[in-house]
Amino acid sequence: MGIIGKTDSQIEKIIQQEADRQEYELNLIASENIVSQAVMAAQGSILTNKYAEGYPARRYYGGCEYVDQAEDLAIERAKKLFKVEYANVQPHSGSGANMAAYFAVLNPGDRILAMDLSHGGHLTHGAAVSFSGKLYDFAHYGLSPETERIDLNQVEALAKKHRPKLIVAGASAYPRIIDFKGFSQIAKSVNALFMVDMAHIAGLVATGVHPSPVGFADLITSTTHKTLRGPRGGLILSSERYAKAIGSQIFPGIQGGPLMHVIAAKAIAFKEALGQSFTDYQKQVVKNASALAFVMMERGYKLISGGTDNHMVLVDFSQKDISGKDAEERLGRAGITVNKNTIPNEKRGPFVTSGIRIGLPLVTSRGMDEKASKRIAGFICDVLDDQENIEITAGKVKDLCLQYPLYKGK
Ligand SMILES: Cc1ncc(COP(=O)(O)O)c(C=O)c1O
């Protein structure tokens, strides 16, 4: 029995079951990753006991001399990593980061142009069920029906028509490079501010594997837990110009006390991201996604935009006799975790969908290379081709997982 079990055997059991699930399943959720043990230890550290409302050296509580140092380190490292003047490391999540960024430069009712949810945008980019859709007047761009890529001509036409105060680029499900320069030129031409939500690609951006929005975007938001491989949380970057507005919208605008244990873990993750091995890792993520895409297309599966430039692949089942929901469920039975995803011009409902999203960041963190990624693609196609293959594939999945433990030498 461990420390947790002495107090709560039910929760200890649940954690153990989840640990086994993560160990023995092929996790291809594009927004998940495996943090280092140092990041995890910081999150489970004594810093969780500390209240520190405010910012370093300007707190509303005493006893902040050590957590101040942790937050200063996180800020300095984030600034160095992304080459920006200002970093706010306090957002509890990516959604909160987006909320504070909007609040910093907009008033309720203002118009925003962002990517449509069903084409790959995020809920906080104006979905009716999100605070964003309720507070602001959103117009949406989508993917070109021909290329299945963002069409800057469409973005420009919509920007001219709707005259938004803010244009947002960034997505939860888009497998291609985003042209931040092109977006910024459109924003300038209609006098709009430009925000990039780089939550999914932050690790690629940090290492130069995806072009950076810095120098083009007025505001940059992110999560820290996807390709960036840090603790769960958010981040806002900008020039000095928006520092004060962002700072006051995070605290006291929408948050109270910052999570100092998570901020310390962010500092560690940023340090890790500044190292060469993190750049090698990000390059491998992209190679692995391309390898998987290649095999899936060879086996007759249609991919949105015909491939990938980043860490994810979107499979389009609109011409196949299987839904995203069925595929997710079938793959799950073989020990392969993906999520169903809407495709552009979706004909099925959001709980059924005609696609799946496949991400390679997590299996790459386990040490898997292109060869392993091609094997994974084969497993996926085997299961999607024929349900009869589920059982035999499940055995192969487990063998592959055993070859690549989650935490080596733990
Ligand atoms: C593009 C994008 N922005 C924001 C978020 C929200 O992050 P969180 O789940 O931490 O609120 C996500 C999460 O999936 C995302 O994909």
Side-chain angles (χ1 to χ4, degrees):
M1 197 191 296
I3 294 174
I4 295 174
K6 283 186 190 147
T7 301
D8 189 334
S9 59
Q10 286 167 293
I11 288 294
E12 184 179 63
K13 187 170 167 213
I14 289 166
I15 292 174
Q16 190 51 53
Q17 285 170 327
E18 172 62 13
D20 289 346
R21 187 193 69 80
Q22 291 191 19
E23 190 74 55
Y24 302 117
E25 283 185 7
L26 268 180
N27 187 338
L28 300 169
I29 304 281
S31 48
E32 294 183 13
N33 213 323
I34 307 169
V35 297
S36 70
Q37 283 178 311
V39 165
M40 209 183 312
Q43 281 187 90
S45 74
I46 201 158
L47 300 195
T48 195
N49 293 340
K50 188 70 198 102
Y51 240 114
E53 276 176 3
Y55 289 96
R58 288 179 288 127
R59 304 284 190 189
Y60 291 82
Y61 287 79
C64 291
E65 56 271 35
Y66 302 114
V67 291
D68 270 8
Q69 291 176 38
E71 184 162 346
D72 279 336
L73 276 177
I75 291 167
E76 284 315 310
R77 289 171 184 169
K79 280 165 46 174
K80 190 169 170 198
L81 185 61
F82 292 104
K83 303 181 182 64
V84 286
E85 289 175 7
Y86 172 75
N88 192 308
V89 298
Q90 291 197 0
H92 301 331
S93 69
S95 298
N98 284 346
M99 180 184 254
Y102 294 153
F103 282 8
V105 295
L106 299 172
N107 291 310
D110 280 350
R111 187 164 294 156
I112 307 177
L113 178 61
M115 193 161 178
D116 192 275
L117 178 65
S118 70
H119 286 239
H122 187 255
L123 286 163
T124 55
H125 301 176
V129 291
S130 144
F131 77 89
S132 56
K134 291 179 183 147
L135 283 184
Y136 300 103
D137 177 17
F138 272 86
H140 286 113
Y141 57 88
L143 303 187
S144 144
E146 290 83 38
T147 61
E148 297 183 317
R149 296 177 187 227
I150 294 169
D151 173 4
L152 286 183
N153 291 326
Q154 187 208 26
V155 176
E156 187 173 16
L158 289 169
K160 290 209 163 105
K161 181 174 167 203
H162 295 288
R163 310 298 297 187
K165 283 216 169 139
L166 179 73
I167 298 181
V168 180
S172 298
Y174 184 64
R176 294 297 182 177
I177 300 277
I178 301 177
D179 178 1
F180 297 133
K181 187 175 174 195
F183 265 102
S184 78
Q185 286 166 344
I186 294 169
K188 274 203 189 81
S189 76
V190 294
N191 245 336
L193 290 173
F194 177 40
M195 171 174 142
V196 169
D197 176 351
M198 62 172 186
H200 258 268
I201 54 170
L204 304 177
V205 167
T207 51
V209 176
H210 187 293
S212 172
V214 175
F216 298 117
D218 299 289
L219 304 165
I220 301 170
T221 59
S222 185
T223 53
T224 45
H225 49 268
K226 299 184 173 61
T227 49
L228 197 49
R229 208 163 66 180
R232 309 198 70 77
L235 177 68
I236 309 180
L237 309 173
S238 74
S239 62
E240 272 303 333
R241 182 167 178 195
Y242 298 103
K244 208 161 166 241
I246 294 166
S248 62
Q249 287 308 331
I250 283 292
F251 174 82
I254 65 165
Q255 290 187 178
L259 311 175
M260 297 317 301
H261 53 307
V262 177
I263 288 173
K266 286 176 182 172
I268 296 171
F270 298 151
K271 184 174 183 188
E272 290 171 352
L274 282 160
Q276 180 57 40
S277 63
F278 193 70
T279 301
D280 298 342
Y281 160 69
Q282 297 295 341
K283 287 181 179 159
Q284 191 62 48
V285 168
V286 173
K287 283 187 200 162
N288 286 354
S290 294
L292 179 134
F294 179 80
V295 172
M296 289 203 68
M297 289 191 291
E298 223 179 31
R299 299 251 326 234
Y301 285 89
K302 185 177 169 305
L303 304 185
I304 298 290
S305 81
T308 178
D309 300 324
N310 62 18
H311 61 297
M312 72 165 77
V313 164
L314 297 167
V315 189
D316 173 355
F317 299 125
S318 58
Q319 313 296 324
K320 298 242 177 211
D321 197 18
I322 183 171
S323 68
K325 180 170 178 268
D326 293 338
E328 178 187 304
E329 190 269 328
R330 241 194 240 182
L331 290 166
R333 281 198 279 143
I336 300 172
T337 313
V338 300
N339 61 283
K340 61 179 174 286
N341 217 85
T342 52
I343 58 161
N345 308 310
E346 180 62 69
K347 301 271 182 321
R348 298 174 167 119
F351 291 106
V352 182
T353 79
S354 303
I356 52 170
R357 186 181 67 161
I358 302 176
L360 282 295
L362 194 145
V363 291
T364 310
S365 287
R366 293 180 83 141
M368 295 190 197
D369 58 6
E370 289 113 298
K371 199 164 155 231
S373 304
K374 285 182 177 173
R375 282 193 72 200
I376 295 172
F379 298 160
I380 293 172
C381 296
D382 289 347
V383 168
L384 296 178
D385 285 351
D386 190 344
Q387 301 215 46
E388 297 286 313
N389 293 329
I390 290 177
E391 207 178 309
I392 188 160
T393 305
K396 292 180 190 170
V397 164
K398 192 143 189 202
D399 285 347
L400 187 64
C401 290
L402 285 168
Q403 269 182 53
Y404 296 94
L406 223 54
Y407 291 100
K408 287 185 203 79
K410 86 186 134 176

